[in-house]
Amino acid sequence: MRRRTLGGMRKLECVDLVEQVTSYQEGSLDVDTQTELTRHIGVCWACEYYLGQMGFTVRLLAQLPPERQSEQLWSNVIGAYRTWALEVRT
Amino acid sequence: MSEVDLDALRRGDESAFRELVDANHSSLFRLAMVYSPSRAIAEEIVQETWLAVIRGLDTFAERSSLRTWICRILVNIARRRAGLESRALPFSEVEDLDQSPAVDPDRFVDTGPRAGRWQLSALPNDWARLPEDKALSRELQAVVLEAIAELPKRQREVITLRDVEGWAAAEVTEVLDLEEGYQRVLLHRARSRVRQIIEEYLEGRVAA
């Protein structure tokens, strides 16, 4: 076997981390894999940087400016709501 | 988002309605854009959605949250207009299941004692050290928006709701009729692709 094992589990390397990183961050991996990846990141600064890049990406996505409705859309929609409300009340 | 008062909405309370529209417009518009060739058409889809919401307010059964219900209506309308009949997209949308790796395989050592580790010539950089004006620039935001726009539809839906709008996984799977594991695969592919594009922009490294 090319790779050493850890408690019966295949040792995970950088090439594995980049495919498991989302599951890792979502906490959806089994305990052994999660532990093994945490170990790997602890000794591999390149993967620590990679994890940081994924975090950077997620933060950037969260900071995109929100979309705002146009005046036209709002006036059409509130008009429809008023009409509906009138019908409901009467 | 805090849930808008449903009773107030049903009474015709305009400020409650305004709050509902403001709180949901961004998610709805971005989701509509996945299916729209233009912003004008996305806006039409959003408007059609609100009209359907108003008509349905009295019969909304509260089996899901209000915003989940509203987003499901939008997805139905948007997909119907795009000529996609079923809300659960067929698995034949193979573009979303492509197995393209998160990182170009050439960046890892193939054999020997360092097999599976980063090539020393292709190590990832520390983006925490980027100057703030570069990390937060409008130009970088534009790069990210373009990267999202070019994703396959399913990936784009998931990354939009999860990361751009900040929804929880459970609500996203409900709105999009996705199985949880598949949702995670789509999120992973989408995030990995956007990271590649950012890297290409920041470092001039060509994305695979």
Side-chain angles (χ1 to χ4, degrees):
Chain A
M1 187 170 182
R2 185 161 53 87
R3 288 177 180 165
R4 285 160 288 167
T5 56
L6 195 91
M9 192 190 161
R10 185 171 67 90
K11 192 175 173 217
L12 297 175
E13 295 290 3
C14 316
V15 71
D16 305 301
L17 178 123
V18 300
E19 291 304 342
Q20 309 247 24
V21 62
T22 306
S23 300
Y24 179 78
Q25 288 171 326
E26 297 265 292
S28 60
L29 294 168
D30 62 83
V31 176
D32 285 350
T33 311
Q34 190 86 12
T35 307
E36 167 60 8
L37 285 177
T38 303
R39 182 205 64 77
H40 178 88
I41 295 156
V43 298
C44 178
W45 57 262
C47 280
E48 195 186 330
Y49 286 174
Y50 188 83
L51 206 68
Q53 291 188 356
M54 291 299 276
F56 178 96
T57 303
V58 172
R59 279 194 303 281
L60 210 56
L61 288 161
Q63 286 165 5
L64 291 173
E67 294 284 350
R68 309 229 178 265
Q69 71 260 24
S70 67
E71 279 307 311
Q72 186 61 53
L73 174 70
W74 171 246
S75 94
N76 292 349
V77 167
I78 190 65
Y81 183 68
R82 280 178 188 142
T83 308
W84 171 85
L86 268 174
E87 284 165 9
V88 166
R89 286 205 200 101
T90 51
Chain B
M1 163 202 132
S2 61
E3 274 292 294
V4 170
D5 185 346
L6 188 61
D7 290 333
L9 286 171
R10 284 175 170 158
R11 279 196 311 270
D13 182 329
E14 285 188 20
S15 65
F17 186 70
R18 169 108 230 184
E19 198 185 320
L20 182 73
V21 173
D22 284 348
N24 291 284
H25 178 79
S26 198
S27 304
L28 292 176
F29 185 83
R30 286 187 162 123
L31 212 43
M33 279 298 289
V34 175
Y35 293 93
S36 306
S38 69
R39 294 180 64 89
I41 290 182
E43 186 143 305
E44 275 177 37
I45 291 170
V46 172
Q47 178 167 319
E48 200 180 327
T49 301
W50 285 119
L51 301 185
V53 166
I54 292 165
R55 282 194 304 273
L57 268 181
D58 280 330
T59 49
F60 168 55
E62 297 179 64
R63 277 189 295 268
S64 59
S65 78
L66 194 52
R67 93 168 169 183
T68 302
W69 175 66
I70 294 169
C71 277
R72 285 178 67 104
I73 293 174
L74 177 121
V75 169
N76 277 331
I77 291 171
R79 288 184 184 166
R80 197 188 61 232
R81 287 180 61 134
L84 300 162
E85 284 305 315
S86 157
R87 12 174 329 108
L89 284 190
F91 273 79
S92 61
E93 252 210 6
V94 281
E95 48 164 8
D96 288 1
L97 291 166
D98 75 273
Q99 294 297 302
S100 62
V103 174
D104 180 357
D106 287 348
R107 291 180 68 180
F108 300 98
V109 178
D110 212 19
T111 53
R114 289 191 75 257
R117 310 209 66 168
W118 294 96
Q119 295 273 11
L120 296 177
S121 57
L123 294 167
N125 287 313
D126 182 7
W127 290 355
R129 293 187 195 183
L130 285 172
E132 211 162 77
D133 61 339
K134 192 162 192 185
L136 299 172
S137 74
R138 289 207 177 268
E139 199 177 304
L140 183 54
Q141 285 190 337
V143 167
V144 170
L145 282 171
E146 201 185 316
I148 296 172
E150 284 175 8
L151 290 170
K153 287 188 172 59
R154 275 298 200 184
Q155 291 183 27
R156 188 172 169 188
E157 287 178 332
V158 170
I159 201 170
T160 295
L161 291 180
R162 285 295 310 277
D163 289 344
V164 182
E165 296 294 332
W167 290 30
E171 202 175 3
V172 173
T173 55
E174 195 184 344
V175 165
L176 301 175
D177 275 340
L178 288 173
E179 192 251 323
E180 193 199 331
Y182 185 41
Q183 181 263 163
R184 204 161 46 238
V185 170
L186 293 168
L187 181 65
H188 177 66
R189 299 238 172 277
R191 276 183 186 170
S192 301
R193 182 65 190 162
V194 174
R195 189 212 63 84
Q196 276 182 16
I197 306 277
I198 294 171
E199 185 177 51
E200 183 179 9
Y201 167 79
L202 290 174
E203 304 179 15
R205 201 192 291 276
V206 177

